[in-house]
């Protein structure tokens, strides 16, 4: 025992103090390691983990799963706010800007207002309203009347047909060119279409037949040609203005089916007779302008059935024969113009008795006689009979002109019809109508001026 202790102690005693301390630490750690290994052998689980941690090792076992829920994802960013009042307004913005790029002449500077998203309040010429099926604000109207917009390719295609919520489109006095878009049937709310006084051309635009909700159709002062589809007169229109084009055909019988109040076919090339069916429009027609065409034949007595009519103008045609006595039933007539035709015979006194008559023009015909009631209208300058064949009145045709005219046969096929009177003159019913009749607006005559309406 003493020898062992010496062997162990003797070297230690000979070492410096620092060396002894380090050696003592090594011995302590060695015994601690043996004790730990021995414990791990008897308890393999947690002790082994402790050893590995102490000596700097890592466990091969996966870490225990955490019981905490992951944080929820951040909410999505809200979509950016649109500068437009609604999607329907946003829809037409590029359509308007595309039109603006095609305009090369803008004398009133209206396109200077077509900037930014506020179409409803800032854009001149555009009107907005709540569209029924979407219940939001939409572009409901276009009013370009008198803007005189122009451009080499200023077409209605890509503009009119791209305004899905438009209800009225007025473009009087511009320089739109080309044809009418063929997709008007897609404009489900369009009820007023005014394309007058532009540079549109081609056959009559049958595309309007697809716009079944139209109540106002104005195509005057363009270069449309050919025939008018008879179905146009079946459209449920209040106003039909197709004057001042190059339309050429005989008037169809469907003219009597029109529900229009204002019918203006003037200054075209319509030929043939005035259809007798015109009397069927007695409940609706207020003003009829057929002047300056190539109409021929005799005046049908059925015109006398137009008891609500206030204006009837067939001047500057080739009509012949006498004035039917049925014209005395035109109780509301204010303007009756039969001038510059080849009418003849005596002027019926019943016409001169019409209560609201303000202008009766029979000049440049071949009438031969007027009675005392008509003479009073001549004196009041209501009746114009210049350049006829009436003896004793000034400013008449020469005797030679009258004789030349009457030397030719001028017979109408149904002479008895000229004596037919469908109403009872001076009846109580007619008197009541006269008392309640309102003054005529003479709206149709405004259609004969390019820049009106």
């Amino acid at each position: 025992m003493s020898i062992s202790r010496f062997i162990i102690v003797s070297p230690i005693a000979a070492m410096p103090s620092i060396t002894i301390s380090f050696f003592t630490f090594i011995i302590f750690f060695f015994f601690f390691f043996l004790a730990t290994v021995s414990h791990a052998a008897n308890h393999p689980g947690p002790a082994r983990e402790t050893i590995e941690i102490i000596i700097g090792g890592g466990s091969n076992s996966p870490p225990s799963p955490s019981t905490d829920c992951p944080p929820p994802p951040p909410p999505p960013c809200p979509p950016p706010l649109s500068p437009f009042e609604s999607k329907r307004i946003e829809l037409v913005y590029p359509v308007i800007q595309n039109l603006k790029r095609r305009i090369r002449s803008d004398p009133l500077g209206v396109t200077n207002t077509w900037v930014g998203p506020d179409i409803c309040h800032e854009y001149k010429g555009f009107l907005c309203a709540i569209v029924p099926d979407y219940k939001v604000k939409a572009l409901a109207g276009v009013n370009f009347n008198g803007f005189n917009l122009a451009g080499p390719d200023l077409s209605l295609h890509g503009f009119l047909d791209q305004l899905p919520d438009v209800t009225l489109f007025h473009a009087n006095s511009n320089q739109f060119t080309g044809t009418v878009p063929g997709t008007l049937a897609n404009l489900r709310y369009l009820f007023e279409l005014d394309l007058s006084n532009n540079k549109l051309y081609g056959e009559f635009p049958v595309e309007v037949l697809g716009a079944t909700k139209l109540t106002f159709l104005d195509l005057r002062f363009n270069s449309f040609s050919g025939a008018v589809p008879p179905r146009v007169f079946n459209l449920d229109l209040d106003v039909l203005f197709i004057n001042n084009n190059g339309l050429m055909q005989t008037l169809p019988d469907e003219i009597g089916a029109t529900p229009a109040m204002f019918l203006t076919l003037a200054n075209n090339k319509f030929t043939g007779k005035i259809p007798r069916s015109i009397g069927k429009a007695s409940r609706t027609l207020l003003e009829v302008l057929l002047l300056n065409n190539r109409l021929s034949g005799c005046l049908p007595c059925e015109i006398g059935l137009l008891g609500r009519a206030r204006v009837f103008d067939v001047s500057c045609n080739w009509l012949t024969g006498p004035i039917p006595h049925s014209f005395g039933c035109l109780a509301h007539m204010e303007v009756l113009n039969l001038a510059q035709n080849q009418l003849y015979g005596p002027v019926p006194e019943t016409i001169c008795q019409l209560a609201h008559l303000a202008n009766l023009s029979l000049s440049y015909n071949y009438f031969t006689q007027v009675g005392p009631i008509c003479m009073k209208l001549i004196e009041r300058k209501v009746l114009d009979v210049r350049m006829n064949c009436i003896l004793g009145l000034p400013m008449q045709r020469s005797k030679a002109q009258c004789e030349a005219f009457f030397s030719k046969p001028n017979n109408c096929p149904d002479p008895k019809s000229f004596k037919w009177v469908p109403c009872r003159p001076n009846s109580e019913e007619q008197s009541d109508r006269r008392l309640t009749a309102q003054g005529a607006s003479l709206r149709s005559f405004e259609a004969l001026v390019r820049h009106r309406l």
Side-chain angles (χ1 to χ4, degrees):
M1 225 13 224
S2 58
I3 296 174
S4 296
R5 185 175 180 183
F6 175 78
I7 293 173
I8 296 173
V9 172
S10 179
I12 293 175
M15 291 182 183
S17 60
I18 297 175
T19 306
I20 294 172
S21 299
F22 177 76
F23 186 74
T24 303
F25 174 77
I26 293 298
I27 293 173
F28 173 80
F29 182 80
F30 175 75
F31 282 107
F32 178 79
F33 177 77
L34 290 178
T36 304
V37 169
S38 175
H39 179 78
N42 298 322
H43 306 281
R48 181 176 179 85
E49 292 178 4
T50 305
I51 297 170
E52 291 175 347
I53 291 172
I54 292 173
I55 64 176
S59 173
N60 292 327
S61 302
S64 301
S66 174
T67 57
D68 295 334
C69 295
C77 295
L81 294 176
S82 172
F84 298 95
E85 290 191 61
S86 72
K87 289 292 185 181
R88 305 305 291 177
I89 298 295
E90 185 176 3
L91 183 67
V92 299
Y93 174 79
V95 177
I96 297 172
Q97 296 305 317
N98 180 51
L99 176 70
K100 182 178 180 179
R101 287 190 290 269
R102 290 187 284 152
I103 294 173
R104 295 292 180 268
S105 177
D106 178 14
L108 301 181
V110 296
T111 58
N112 294 334
T113 67
W114 299 359
V115 178
D118 194 359
I119 295 174
C120 296
H121 301 97
E122 299 295 335
Y123 283 39
K124 188 174 182 180
F126 295 96
L127 308 171
C128 295
I130 301 298
V131 64
D133 50 357
Y134 289 94
K135 309 296 183 185
V136 295
K137 190 170 285 189
L139 180 63
V142 174
N143 186 3
F144 288 177
N145 283 357
F147 284 0
N148 201 25
L149 303 174
D153 59 345
L154 190 59
S155 169
L156 293 169
H157 293 266
F159 179 54
L160 170 58
D161 52 340
Q162 297 299 312
L163 305 177
D165 306 314
V166 70
T167 61
L168 59 90
F169 187 94
H170 289 185
N172 174 285
S173 300
N174 288 280
Q175 296 188 41
F176 284 102
T177 187
T179 59
V180 176
T183 54
L184 295 186
N186 297 335
L187 306 181
R188 61 200 188 285
Y189 295 119
L190 182 63
F191 68 90
E192 288 193 12
L193 181 61
D194 180 358
L195 304 178
S196 61
N197 196 23
N198 280 279
K199 294 184 176 181
L200 303 173
Y201 56 80
E203 297 290 320
F204 185 92
V206 296
E207 293 79 8
V208 301
L209 297 175
T212 56
K213 289 184 173 61
L214 279 180
T215 62
F216 183 102
L217 178 59
D218 188 349
L219 303 176
R220 61 199 168 96
F221 289 103
N222 281 289
S223 298
F224 295 120
S225 59
V228 179
R231 284 195 296 155
V232 170
F233 297 102
N234 293 114
L235 291 174
D236 192 17
L237 298 171
D238 295 328
V239 175
L240 177 57
F241 293 156
I242 56 176
N243 53 288
N244 294 84
N245 280 284
L247 303 171
M248 181 186 298
Q249 71 181 100
T250 58
L251 292 178
D253 285 337
E254 283 80 0
I255 194 173
T258 181
M261 295 183 291
F262 303 93
L263 180 63
T264 302
L265 312 182
N267 302 317
N268 280 288
K269 300 176 182 178
F270 291 115
T271 60
K273 299 178 179 180
I274 299 174
R276 301 183 68 170
S277 63
I278 194 171
K280 295 180 180 179
S282 61
R283 296 184 178 182
T284 54
L285 274 178
L286 299 179
E287 301 181 17
V288 184
L289 300 189
L290 301 174
L291 64 145
N292 198 25
N293 280 287
R294 300 174 182 178
L295 300 175
S296 58
C298 301
L299 292 169
C301 61
E302 286 79 7
I303 293 174
L305 296 174
L306 303 179
R308 299 186 61 197
R310 306 177 299 197
V311 175
F312 189 84
D313 192 335
V314 290
S315 60
C316 301
N317 280 286
W318 301 339
L319 298 167
T320 189
I323 298 176
H325 287 196
S326 63
F327 277 40
C329 297
L330 300 174
H332 292 138
M333 188 61 61
E334 296 188 15
V335 177
L336 179 59
N337 194 344
L338 309 179
Q340 298 189 51
N341 280 285
Q342 298 178 25
L343 303 171
Y344 57 84
V347 178
E349 286 277 82
T350 52
I351 295 180
C352 296
Q353 291 178 306
L354 294 175
H356 297 282
L357 201 60
N359 189 330
L360 175 57
S361 183
L362 306 178
S363 60
Y364 291 88
N365 280 288
Y366 294 90
F367 292 110
T368 56
Q369 182 180 346
V370 292
I373 298 176
C374 291
M375 283 296 296
K376 291 181 180 180
L377 294 186
I378 295 173
E379 294 171 1
R380 291 165 46 195
K381 301 188 182 301
V382 173
L383 173 57
D384 184 1
V385 290
R386 290 172 299 141
M387 300 305 293
N388 278 280
C389 298
I390 303 173
L391 295 176
L393 291 181
M395 302 182 68
Q396 299 294 300
R397 294 183 184 274
S398 68
K399 181 179 179 180
Q401 287 177 317
C402 293
E403 288 179 349
F405 175 79
F406 287 109
S407 65
K408 301 175 183 178
N410 296 294
N411 297 323
C412 290
D414 187 8
K416 292 182 179 180
S417 67
F418 292 95
K419 302 295 183 181
W420 176 61
V421 179
C423 63
R424 292 176 296 166
N426 300 322
S427 68
E428 182 178 353
E429 179 184 359
Q430 188 178 32
S431 297
D432 290 342
R433 287 201 304 267
R434 289 177 178 178
L435 290 173
T436 59
Q438 301 295 321
S441 64
L442 308 185
R443 183 177 186 182
S444 294
F445 282 116
E446 294 181 351
L448 302 181
V449 182
R450 285 181 179 270
H451 306 287
R452 297 295 293 273
L453 296 180

